[in-house]
Amino acid sequence: MYQLSVNLEDFLAKYWQKQPTIIKGGFVAFSDPISPEELAGLSMEEEIDSRFVSNANDQWQAEYGPFSEDKFTDLGASHWSLIVQAVNHWHAGAAELVKPFKTLPQWLFDDLMISYSVEGGGVGPHIDQYDVFIVQGSGKRHWRVGAKDVGQYKETKRHEALRQIESFDAIIDDVLEPGDILYIPPGFPHDGYALEPSMSYSVGFRSPKEQELISNFADYVLAHDYGNVHMHKPELSTQEHFGEITSGDRETLTQMLTSALENETTVKDFLGCMLSQSRHQLNIIEPDTKWTSEEVAEHLSQGGELYKVAGLRALVHEDEPTMVYINGEVFRLAESQVWLARALTNEDVLVDVEPNTHVVPLLTELLNKGYWYAE
Ligand code: SIN
Ligand code: CO
């Protein structure tokens, strides 16, 4: 169980998307939930994104996983770093580190990235578009953070994949020790080097870009065949300046562009589906033999619990409490099942569920999709 030493609400008011800061002793008596060997093990898995970055003699190299066992046999004692994404999807102990932040909107949460670095190891100076809490595990790491980018930082060509920038002046320059947390809002350049073998846990949050919303909405409109109509204008007349797009026509065309957005149901469904998709692969295993509704009812009546797949996103709109969006799909619950929608979206485990006729078919479907699992 990890517990923050600061009040998250107060922290947000003061720092969130405003200022980077270090919370000394953000976790008291911190201990690593995962070992470097386990992390290396995860980086050998096909489904898990990982990177190996080395910088001996200022020669930057980056390689993407999955790695084979030999990768880790003859490594030097300094200047490299192994980084694994979305470890919360694959390692239950590591996933515990996300829980202290779980009262932030779930749809903003991205993943828990873990890096193991040896002395001098890091990814170099760069800028992220994430809000991140970097929790220092075992070892010490020297971090520098600069002022927010207002277009003054130049990219370097040191290594294509690393998107590094040239040097920057530090507004934070400090050594993190186990349990310290560095919070960095989007746009602030930063650079961290391990001073000794070191574990870093990055709890990242990411909001969609306006561009992404627009492009995803276009995909959604096409997939649902919305707006499959041309402009209709039976009252057409001739124009003296026939090269002109008249103001009236522009208005009509603009109206066509925005009409889908004026439909609240469409927008709700689009956002629910888009935001409930994880950007990282999930550990979803569909059961070999499908559950029958009788088996599910039996399991529930015996007090059996159901577990949500780690990192699965289940969301609900504040003003639509029985439409549940799970992993990009929508599930419509009966009006009387607001409590179930709450449980699906807020809890990692479903306990004490009464097997009624509303609950059983839905849970059977969710189990058969592998979104929830028993034992
Ligand atoms: C790392 O942990 O090595 C990278 C974290 C970051 O700077 O985003
Ligand atoms: Co970064």
Side-chain angles (χ1 to χ4, degrees):
M1 252 278 279
Y2 294 100
Q3 204 175 350
L4 285 168
S5 64
V6 291
N7 177 291
L8 203 49
E9 195 72 34
D10 298 340
F11 178 88
L12 296 181
K14 194 151 178 210
Y15 298 105
W16 184 259
Q17 301 206 329
K18 301 179 239 338
Q19 269 306 316
T21 189
I22 290 176
I23 311 170
K24 279 272 167 207
F27 288 113
V28 178
F30 185 86
S31 69
D32 290 298
I34 186 170
S35 66
E37 291 72 24
E38 283 177 283
L39 196 68
L42 292 178
S43 77
M44 296 179 203
E45 302 286 340
E46 190 79 48
E47 313 94 305
I48 305 180
D49 290 333
S50 58
R51 274 181 304 160
F52 182 88
V53 178
S54 61
N55 60 329
N57 311 313
D58 212 30
Q59 290 297 301
W60 289 90
Q61 312 257 340
E63 232 182 298
Y64 291 90
F67 299 107
S68 64
E69 193 103 40
D70 338 332
K71 178 79 208 161
F72 302 103
T73 45
D74 276 325
L75 290 173
S78 74
H79 295 93
W80 59 264
S81 187
L82 173 70
I83 300 145
V84 183
Q85 299 279 159
V87 179
N88 56 307
H89 293 190
W90 307 96
H91 189 285
E96 289 292 311
L97 249 185
V98 172
K99 290 190 179 161
F101 302 94
K102 77 172 183 189
T103 51
L104 296 174
Q106 194 197 134
W107 64 267
L108 276 179
F109 173 63
D110 192 37
D111 75 328
L112 171 71
M113 183 182 94
I114 303 183
S115 68
Y116 172 70
S117 309
V118 292
E119 187 193 338
V123 298
H126 65 280
I127 297 173
D128 292 315
Q129 294 312 319
Y130 296 90
D131 288 273
V132 66
F133 294 92
I134 303 177
V135 180
Q136 179 66 37
S138 61
K140 289 182 185 161
R141 193 158 168 174
H142 182 183
W143 282 97
R144 294 174 69 254
V145 183
K148 187 170 179 149
D149 184 21
V150 284
Q152 78 270 45
Y153 299 116
K154 276 216 289 299
E155 275 199 31
T156 65
K157 296 272 172 295
R158 268 180 232 131
H159 194 287
E160 221 173 88
L162 293 172
R163 296 176 302 106
Q164 292 181 356
I165 54 165
E166 284 174 4
S167 62
F168 56 85
D169 294 331
I171 55 172
I172 288 178
D173 188 337
D174 212 338
V175 172
L176 290 200
E177 299 187 33
D180 294 345
I181 304 173
L182 169 62
Y183 164 71
I184 312 174
F188 288 76
H190 53 279
D191 193 7
Y193 287 98
L195 299 176
E196 56 191 34
S198 155
M199 293 287 276
S200 300
Y201 303 87
S202 300
V203 182
F205 295 83
R206 182 183 189 278
S207 65
K209 269 191 199 181
E210 194 174 316
Q211 288 185 341
E212 282 170 66
L213 285 172
I214 294 170
S215 119
N216 279 282
F217 188 65
D219 292 342
Y220 182 87
V221 164
L222 286 174
H224 291 79
D225 203 29
Y226 292 150
N228 194 359
V229 287
H230 292 268
M231 179 176 149
H232 180 64
K233 191 183 180 188
E235 67 285 3
L236 189 73
S237 55
T238 57
Q239 288 181 200
E240 184 191 349
H241 303 294
F242 42 82
E244 270 177 7
I245 301 163
T246 66
S247 303
D249 284 352
R250 188 183 66 228
E251 245 167 65
T252 310
L253 293 166
T254 306
Q255 177 59 33
M256 287 170 74
L257 271 175
T258 55
S259 64
L261 288 169
E262 280 158 13
N263 184 326
E264 200 180 291
T265 311
T266 304
V267 174
K268 273 186 184 164
D269 266 354
F270 157 63
L271 287 176
C273 290
M274 175 181 167
L275 299 175
S276 65
Q277 285 173 60
S278 175
R279 271 180 298 273
H280 306 276
Q281 191 147 335
L282 293 159
N283 188 13
I284 291 175
I285 303 163
E286 284 182 26
D288 287 336
T289 43
K290 298 281 181 206
W291 286 81
T292 65
S293 40
E294 291 74 24
E295 286 165 342
V296 174
E298 174 73 10
H299 179 76
L300 296 176
S301 62
Q302 287 174 359
E305 302 181 336
L306 298 178
Y307 304 89
K308 190 195 261 179
V309 160
L312 184 84
R313 293 169 178 235
L315 303 172
V316 71
H317 288 290
E318 182 182 13
D319 58 355
E320 197 86 65
T322 54
M323 296 275 271
V324 181
Y325 298 89
I326 303 171
N327 200 30
E329 287 181 65
V330 54
F331 297 86
R332 195 181 299 271
L333 277 56
E335 291 302 318
S336 57
Q337 306 301 304
V338 175
W339 67 273
L340 180 59
R342 278 259 176 276
L344 292 170
T345 53
N346 258 8
E347 310 297 337
D348 294 331
V349 190
L350 297 175
V351 288
D352 294 329
V353 177
E354 190 93 19
N356 69 41
T357 51
H358 293 294
V359 169
V360 171
L362 175 69
L363 293 184
T364 305
E365 188 179 354
L366 295 175
L367 280 163
N368 286 334
K369 283 180 180 284
Y371 291 167
W372 270 258
Y373 57 92
E375 89 257 339

